[in-house]
Amino acid sequence: MHKSLLKNIKLVFIEIQYNILIPDALLRLVMNILLQEWEFPPFDRIKIEDYESAIRAAIEEAEHTIETIATSTEAPTFENTVEALECADRRLNRVSAIMMNLNECCTSDALQEVVMKLEPEMTRFSMKVMTDHRLYERVKTVSENSDYSEHSEKKTLLENTLKSFRRHGVALEGEARERYKRNEEELSELKLRFSQNALADMNDWTLHLTSEADLEGLPEPVRTAAREEAEAKGLEGWLFTLAYPSYGPFMTYSTRRDLREKMYRAYGSIGGRGNEHDNNEVIRRIVELRAEQARMLGYNTYCDYVLEDRMVQSLPNLRRFMQELKEAVLPAAKNELAEIQRISSFTPLMPWDFSHYAEKLKQQRYAFDSEQLRPYFRLDAVREGIFGLYGKLYGLHFDPAPEVPVYHEDVKVYRVLDGTREMGILYLDMHPRASKRSGAWMTEFRGQHGDIRPQIQVVCNFSKPTAETPSLLRFSEVETFMHEMGHAMHGMLSNVRYESLSGTNVKRDFVEMPSQVMENWCYEPEFLATFARHWQTGEPLPTEFIDKIRAAQNHLAGWLCLRQLNLGYTDIAFHTMLDGSTVGKAEEVEAGAMTNLLPRVPGCCTATNFSHIFGGGYASGYYGYKWAEVLDADIFSRFKQDGIFNRDTAARFRREILSRGGTEHPAVLFRNFMGREPDNKALLKRMNLL
Ligand SMILES: [Zn+2]
């Protein structure tokens, strides 16, 4: 009570000093639950109108603190500058985490409106901080005058802070500074335009079929969806689109080769049809600007700029990684293609034949209905199984905490305990609702720092129980649950001093390792035996089911791996260009970058529709999917070798990796745990390619 009052008085004092608020608003601020002190997010007491005033007050408070740091007359020290910056926006982070997380999992029109209004203000605030020359100079002075080689966490925080300023262009002067800023603005417009063009081109094209004969090979649900699509447009017959849920099944099941070719050509030309949505010029300009931005910051290419801040570290490292993996999977990919070629009657096999015959081969070899597994994976049992695994590995247990406020009745809360020590709070939000987006993710309301323990949320979309049936998971959903719990425990077992370095705040190509590694346990009979029982009969899960799943998953493993590498090579090809004028046609760049085992079709390419790298945040980072897989398979091989429940191995994994968050370079953490550099053999073995 005392503490909360004091904090509010401090805040109000700041407002009065700056003469910004009228007394009415002042009163609202004092009453605003989001600005008071609470142990847990006060979901049961937040009103929608609280967000706007709380976020604005928190921004002003942070701005005030930051101004004090920037204008301090004291000589810059680690404490009064770097550490002070780390803590300056803590209240803002806390309040915005509630707002942003709820907007994902329990939103409303009103909340969306508030977020739309406040998100740009928060971005403006952080951009203002990261481009503040006075702060940069102070951090630079700290860096020049001190040696933290003995204190790795302080060293990392200092390096990250300095790097973050530099990577925002703060060190640039005069015209260069203005130009950098203008380029950034143009880039964000171009990224948006790229995605809009791709979407418009995708939506422009449809395949309207009116004769039943044209549907040959398509399963009933695919036909139904196409009929509904047609009805929605007021058309007779069936309508297929280039959106994946329509395009994918059509290419897989349709026996009409002529129509598959039509679909393929339409899909492959998205963003490259020479119309007003053509992305070739957008790509050229994006490449040109990114190259220039990187050069201005002192990097050779955009790729160098991105990779410097990743576990892989450098372009030569990345090229070596990709080359080694490619050489290992290429023979398998060629064999797989030859097999598919054999069961089709076409020479050469064309790209529009591939999915269709790949599916035929899969049916011949691995006909297995994975729905058979569902009765063995009752959600409550899976959850207890996962909790039990964390008990076996780390001695943790999970106590229900019904006293902690929740934002929806479906949410369950647990206190995670290590002996008597509370490690943090876990919110599990498992079922879909209209106010939740699709997918599954882990996030935090509060990250661990010092003695403050984290508050972590895992959100999934598993089907709800009904009156007759409990919630039963697909095998892939069990994997998803394990994956997100892997992220959650990375946050939960964190033991660092600074929040920006805690838990999952690691390099982007490392963050999926602790989550993906947990998926490996799903294939271990010893683990499954602890919880997977038929919910009606109690019969244990037949392990041959798991073998079948693994075999089916490895179907075309070499081919699919090569496909991912090809996309990675395309990404690198564009982002190692020194100058936009060398781009030419995107199609040609892509053709040169990829290892093409199937004939390339003129007018078709991926690049003009490759939103990951031109519209989203994966530029120079597409390799990350494969990178994380190599790491997780490699790490799990150590558990496999020592025993999947081995307490010592787990304790080492916790000590050397999970507890360390981003305080040390992941390459060092990996080496500390494995005693060597990453090796792709474990992944190749898992894919059955060794
Ligand atoms: Zn993940």
Side-chain angles (χ1 to χ4, degrees):
M1 192 66 184
H2 261 87
K3 227 170 124 194
S4 83
L5 266 178
L6 272 175
K7 282 268 177 176
N8 276 315
I9 287 166
K10 187 175 148 229
L11 189 72
V12 169
F13 171 71
I14 294 165
E15 309 304 346
I16 293 170
Q17 195 184 16
Y18 279 76
N19 220 353
I20 283 156
L21 296 158
I22 52 163
D24 232 21
L26 205 82
L27 186 69
R28 272 211 300 281
L29 273 183
V30 179
M31 302 296 289
N32 191 324
I33 182 68
L34 286 168
L35 292 172
Q36 288 164 29
E37 288 288 303
W38 19 261
E39 192 184 356
F40 306 109
F43 296 118
D44 49 343
R45 287 179 292 161
I46 303 171
K47 294 190 291 298
I48 189 80
E49 59 270 24
D50 290 338
Y51 289 111
E52 205 168 323
S53 54
I55 294 273
R56 292 212 172 112
I59 289 178
E60 272 177 35
E61 183 190 33
E63 277 176 340
H64 176 76
T65 312
I66 280 165
E67 195 58 28
T68 311
I69 300 170
T71 54
S72 167
T73 50
E74 284 174 37
T77 64
F78 184 87
E79 287 70 25
N80 75 16
T81 303
V82 182
E83 206 170 73
L85 276 174
E86 162 81 10
C87 306
D89 54 359
R90 194 155 274 166
R91 187 194 299 269
L92 176 61
N93 287 342
R94 211 63 75 234
V95 178
S96 68
I98 295 177
M99 179 179 77
M100 300 307 275
N101 288 336
L102 289 191
N103 193 39
E104 301 283 303
C105 65
C106 201
T107 194
S108 62
D109 289 349
L111 182 56
Q112 280 171 20
E113 210 174 290
V114 171
V115 172
M116 288 265 281
K117 199 188 304 179
L118 295 176
E119 211 179 3
E121 293 178 30
M122 294 191 289
T123 310
R124 244 191 328 271
F125 161 74
S126 66
M127 283 312 290
K128 202 171 126 196
V129 176
M130 290 327 296
T131 52
D132 189 319
H133 220 270
R134 302 164 306 167
L135 295 171
Y136 170 65
E137 288 301 331
R138 285 186 71 89
V139 175
K140 209 168 78 174
T141 308
V142 176
S143 168
E144 284 159 1
N145 296 343
S146 44
D147 174 20
Y148 289 104
S149 48
E150 294 299 302
H151 196 302
S152 79
E153 190 169 344
K154 283 188 173 179
K155 183 167 166 269
T156 306
L157 185 66
L158 178 57
E159 280 170 4
N160 284 4
T161 312
L162 194 61
K163 213 174 348 166
S164 185
F165 277 111
R166 286 190 176 145
R167 291 171 73 86
H168 280 85
V170 75
L172 300 171
E173 308 275 355
E175 164 58 11
R177 198 179 157 89
E178 286 311 305
R179 194 172 170 81
Y180 188 86
K181 209 174 138 210
R182 267 201 316 276
N183 286 354
E184 281 300 294
E185 283 162 10
E186 189 180 346
L187 270 169
S188 59
E189 276 167 40
L190 286 166
K191 281 165 71 175
L192 196 64
R193 180 144 20 113
F194 182 94
S195 305
Q196 284 169 347
N197 279 345
L199 187 68
D201 244 7
M202 185 179 87
N203 290 336
D204 263 3
W205 195 94
T206 52
L207 179 67
H208 183 208
L209 301 176
T210 47
S211 155
E212 189 107 34
D214 293 338
L215 307 179
E216 207 184 285
L218 297 177
E220 204 45 52
V222 179
R223 295 177 184 216
T224 308
R227 195 165 48 241
E228 284 168 3
E229 192 81 39
E231 272 166 21
K233 295 252 161 67
L235 296 170
E236 295 284 308
W238 301 267
L239 195 67
F240 294 90
T241 72
L242 299 178
Y244 203 80
S246 180
Y247 176 77
F250 192 94
M251 298 305 284
T252 305
Y253 299 110
S254 171
T255 52
R256 285 286 301 273
R257 196 182 191 214
D258 56 331
L259 296 177
R260 288 201 314 261
E261 176 176 350
K262 232 178 168 173
M263 283 286 260
Y264 179 85
R265 287 183 184 273
Y267 189 83
S269 62
I270 290 176
R273 294 180 194 152
N275 58 18
E276 74 274 25
H277 305 309
D278 198 287
N279 268 331
N280 276 290
E281 174 54 23
V282 181
I283 292 176
R284 193 199 63 72
R285 185 67 181 147
I286 287 178
V287 168
E288 179 172 62
L289 285 174
R290 281 178 176 162
E292 187 185 346
Q293 295 298 75
R295 234 180 2 257
M296 283 171 87
L297 297 182
Y299 300 89
N300 193 22
T301 67
Y302 186 74
C303 229
D304 293 296
Y305 162 74
V306 171
L307 300 181
E308 177 213 51
D309 199 32
R310 300 284 158 95
M311 179 179 177
V312 71
Q313 284 171 299
S314 71
L315 192 53
N317 285 352
L318 176 56
R319 287 200 194 277
R320 197 176 325 116
F321 163 78
M322 291 179 67
Q323 189 61 26
E324 283 172 8
L325 199 53
K326 190 169 96 177
E327 279 167 20
V329 301
L330 195 55
K334 285 181 178 164
N335 284 339
E336 289 157 6
L337 179 61
E339 281 178 301
I340 291 170
Q341 177 100 51
R342 249 195 311 278
I343 68 158
S344 79
S345 45
F346 305 115
T347 314
L349 196 77
M350 292 304 285
W352 45 83
D353 300 321
F354 188 85
S355 302
H356 183 70
Y357 291 99
E359 176 64 22
K360 276 209 157 135
L361 187 66
K362 189 176 176 185
Q363 288 307 327
Q364 280 177 18
R365 290 216 175 136
Y366 313 107
F368 173 66
D369 180 7
S370 59
E371 288 293 302
Q372 287 178 63
L373 266 69
R374 266 173 107 131
Y376 298 90
F377 294 126
R378 186 165 54 87
L379 173 60
D380 289 346
V382 174
R383 186 189 60 236
E384 292 311 310
I386 295 176
F387 287 175
L389 175 62
Y390 282 105
K392 283 193 167 69
L393 293 174
Y394 307 117
L396 301 178
H397 58 276
F398 298 72
D399 273 4
E403 69 282 9
V404 175
V406 291
Y407 52 86
H408 190 277
E409 57 182 13
D410 281 354
V411 180
K412 291 196 163 61
V413 189
Y414 299 86
R415 287 178 194 273
V416 181
L417 301 161
D418 182 359
T420 54
R421 182 173 176 224
E422 188 166 311
M423 299 307 291
I425 296 289
L426 178 67
Y427 298 83
L428 293 186
D429 181 355
M430 298 279 101
H431 302 298
R433 67 180 81 92
S435 60
K436 193 197 266 193
R437 77 167 165 90
S438 59
W441 62 94
M442 164 270 186
T443 177
E444 290 176 343
F445 292 108
R446 177 171 86 188
Q448 180 272 331
H449 51 284
D451 293 333
I452 306 293
R453 295 309 309 172
Q455 293 166 347
I456 291 171
Q457 183 197 29
V458 165
V459 186
C460 299
N461 274 290
F462 303 145
S463 56
K464 271 191 123 162
T466 64
E468 297 83 39
T469 330
S471 174
L472 300 173
L473 305 190
R474 291 193 192 91
F475 183 74
S476 62
E477 291 176 324
V478 177
E479 278 186 297
T480 300
F481 197 177
M482 282 289 274
H483 178 104
E484 300 310 333
M485 283 296 286
H487 282 308
M489 289 302 128
H490 194 190
M492 193 65 75
L493 298 177
S494 175
N495 189 19
V496 308
R497 184 161 168 177
Y498 302 113
E499 191 170 2
S500 72
L501 300 178
S502 79
T504 54
N505 292 306
V506 297
K507 306 268 184 221
R508 265 187 69 174
D509 54 358
F510 191 62
V511 72
E512 293 301 323
M513 186 284 289
S515 50
Q516 282 177 196
V517 75
M518 297 313 297
E519 294 175 30
N520 289 284
W521 269 265
C522 298
Y523 295 87
E524 295 297 322
E526 226 184 322
F527 169 53
L528 292 167
T530 64
F531 68 93
R533 289 201 155 63
H534 197 287
W535 73 279
Q536 283 158 312
T537 64
E539 174 212 5
L541 175 75
T543 50
E544 69 261 25
F545 282 6
I546 298 304
D547 299 338
K548 282 184 180 164
I549 285 187
R550 182 62 107 188
Q553 265 184 356
N554 281 333
H555 176 57
L556 302 187
W559 178 270
L560 294 172
C561 185
L562 180 65
R563 166 94 192 139
Q564 288 292 88
L565 288 170
N566 271 337
L567 293 171
Y569 275 113
T570 304
D571 176 17
I572 295 175
F574 282 108
H575 293 115
T576 47
M577 286 185 171
L578 299 175
D579 175 0
S581 64
T582 56
V583 174
K585 253 187 118 68
E587 191 183 334
E588 283 150 26
V589 177
E590 177 181 309
M594 288 187 173
T595 302
N596 302 289
L597 298 185
L598 284 172
R600 286 194 67 91
V601 179
C604 290
C605 80
T606 309
T608 50
N609 184 26
F610 199 177
S611 289
H612 273 83
I613 65 166
F614 294 121
Y618 281 80
S620 297
Y622 199 82
Y623 73 92
Y625 290 104
K626 278 291 146 201
W627 179 262
E629 272 182 57
V630 166
L631 299 182
D632 94 65
D634 206 7
I635 297 251
F636 187 67
S637 72
R638 187 55 55 87
F639 278 96
K640 237 352 220 181
Q641 176 194 311
D642 300 349
I644 62 161
F645 300 131
N646 189 301
R647 290 291 288 256
D648 295 335
T649 309
R652 216 172 60 250
F653 186 58
R654 175 177 178 175
R655 187 178 65 239
E656 303 296 351
I657 294 184
L658 297 182
S659 74
R660 303 290 305 276
T663 57
E664 181 64 90
H665 199 282
V668 175
L669 299 184
F670 186 93
R671 213 177 303 130
N672 289 348
F673 175 71
M674 291 296 282
R676 59 163 173 76
E677 303 300 318
D679 185 330
N680 66 27
K681 280 196 195 63
L683 176 63
L684 295 172
K685 192 172 164 211
R686 189 167 80 190
M687 295 194 297
N688 209 14
L689 294 182
L690 268 194

